[in-house]
Amino acid sequence: MVILPGAGTVGLDYLDVAHKAAAFTTSVVYDRAGTGWSEPMDLPRSSTQVTDELRALLSVMGVAPPYVLVGHSLGGLYSRHYATRFPEEVAGLVLLDPTHEDYNAYMPPELRERAASQDGTDVEDRTRVADLIPDALPPEFIAFYRRLFAAEMPGWPEQIKAPLIEAHVNPAWVRTGVLEASNLDTLHEEVAAAGSLPDVPVVILVSTGLDDFRRAVCIGQSEQQLKAEIDARRRLYEAVVAKLPHARLHAVPDAGHATLPFRRPEAVVQAIREVVGLPSPPA
């Protein structure tokens, strides 16, 4: 099982999932080149570069295929691309609120317009957004996000939790998250052009809860708009699942987009078990 983090997240964010899954399978977490604690790299990058490097990494580590790829958000897009490019190496997919090329088509018009006006419409526009992030973030911003992250990691080892939280409020990490996703339109085109997924089990988890992380990221959006986005995302995934022969969609109502792997690691692990054909553990 290989976890592909979302933009702005790193392998350690999925520690609970990895530990629980390690009870029945090999668990691999990593930081993509240019993100987290990996080597610096110019961003953004193509999905071909990302998937080639993941394949090389797994080979060097001696982790033999086939793999269950667990992709969150942008990591879900990369997971699909890996499966399409190397179908014989993938046993199944678990996708957590995955980025998808049809995402905007399902969004209400006002949310599409808002996203375009805030983030721009091309790589240069989105790169400028990253450039606007100051080298020193406001203390209230840092304190706010420290509290949010700490609340999602109760019981985590302090030697992991403390540096992980501090890294997440580092301006360089915030900037990296924006930059990695700044070529999203190009990534969508690249993955869509790669063809169909192989005939493998797929489980999509859709978060249907609202939390302070989502409200903070989408500041200025009303509760009604946030709920409309969740409803639209669920309809998109229902359409995706309907086109795949061995796919299922599970709603996770008590977690948001960013907090799903923190709050509901057992839901992710259960989806992995489902993909590999293992029964649920005894209650």
Side-chain angles (χ1 to χ4, degrees), residues 114-129:
R114 181 183 178 86
S117 65
Q118 287 185 336
D119 298 336
T121 57
D122 57 26
V123 177
E124 288 187 3
D125 287 341
R126 293 167 181 154
T127 300
R128 281 193 287 270
V129 172

Side-chain angles (χ1 to χ4, degrees), residues 72-111:
H72 184 198
S73 195
L74 181 60
L77 191 72
Y78 293 145
S79 298
R80 286 175 46 216
H81 197 206
Y82 192 109
T84 302
R85 296 186 66 209
F86 313 115
E88 70 285 352
E89 298 180 12
V90 176
L93 298 172
V94 175
L95 306 176
L96 320 179
D97 281 349
T99 299
H100 194 279
E101 58 271 20
D102 293 333
Y103 193 88
N104 282 339
Y106 279 77
M107 289 297 119
E110 64 271 19
L111 292 184

